[in-house]
Amino acid sequence: MKKNGVPLWKIWVLTGAVIVSSIVLIILCIVTKPSSISSTTVNNTAAEKENESAQDAVRTAPIVQQSAEIAEQFPMPEVKKSSIEDATNIEKNNENASEKEEESVPVAVNTNNKAAKVKKFDIPLATNGATLVFIFDDAGQSLTKLQKYTNKLAFPFTVAVLPYLPHSKDCASELAKKEKEVMLHQPMQAVNLNVNPGPGAIMPNMDSYSIEEQLRKNIDSLGVKIAGMNNHEGSLITSDLVKMLDVLQVVKEKGIYFVDSRTTAQTKAPQAAQLLGLNIFSNDVFLDNEVERNAILSQVYRGLAVANKNGRAVMIGHIDKSSDIIPQLLSEMYSELRDSGYKFATLSMYR
């Protein structure tokens, strides 16, 4: 059978082949579609990333270029090692300066130093050139007790040494070494005959020659140059004009001074000195008739009043019996006395 001159079977074969081909093509498309999509997606993602990087490069290129241009126009200065060291030193110096500033922060200080100090004693201001003369009697028994005075007291003072005691020469030598003034503390009989004045004493039964010879021996016994002499006890002798003329004759001969301790109001020492043309000194205050700190302090205040009135006060204490009080008390008072205007002297300064 033929259609338009073509055998019908050929048409059926061609039609079947077309159908089969179409079916195969459809199947292939279905099978290969996912991988194609994935590949396309991956390719698209990579392309997008490349596009973004390219866009970023385009965006940042002007900034980088601008920074480079700025750097070229305003280059950073070169930092040398020495500059770093200088900067470090400056920093250290600044730190040290800050520390010094902290240390040297000014503190409010009263320009009146005397008023700013806390005063321990009730010391009046000195008037009339007030000068204090301290004499300490009875040295010779103990070198240790004497050294409490020589080691503690910075101002000039005088020590009167008794002759022929166990440490008379030692004490005199210690005083000379410390450049303190030495006197002979001459024993003399008191009105009370039961009182033994000690070795080398001037007694009522001695004649003029004996008195003078005893005094010369006593002066030489100390082994040092002495500046003066005062009486130990002696109320009976000092009230005797003739015997005081004998004593002061030796004082004049030796070129030393005499201090009347004034153990009696009946003393004839001033009259004898006047007859011989001598100037003598006299005690104003006994510091330690009562050996107690407050009592001794009261006596010092009495001496200050005398000094302010008369220009000078001679105050006598005793080495051994007051060694635990007088050196400490006077060393405490010294700076306030000096700040209040008092001067310190020995009697040889008035010769």
Side-chain angles (χ1 to χ4, degrees), residues 17-27:
V18 170
I19 292 169
V20 170
S21 297
S22 298
I23 292 170
V24 170
L25 182 61
I26 291 168
I27 291 170

Side-chain angles (χ1 to χ4, degrees), residues 234-245 248 258 260 262 264-275 280:
S235 54
L236 182 61
I237 303 300
T238 58
S239 59
D240 186 320
L241 179 58
V242 174
K243 287 184 168 46
M244 284 309 300
L245 283 168
L248 292 183
F258 182 80
D260 184 1
R262 295 192 64 83
T264 176
Q266 281 73 46
T267 178
K268 297 298 188 291
Q271 290 91 323
Q274 187 176 11
L275 290 172
I280 66 171

Side-chain angles (χ1 to χ4, degrees), residues 189-197 203:
Q189 181 60 55
V191 171
N192 183 352
L193 298 179
N194 293 322
V195 174
N196 181 3
M203 305 302 289

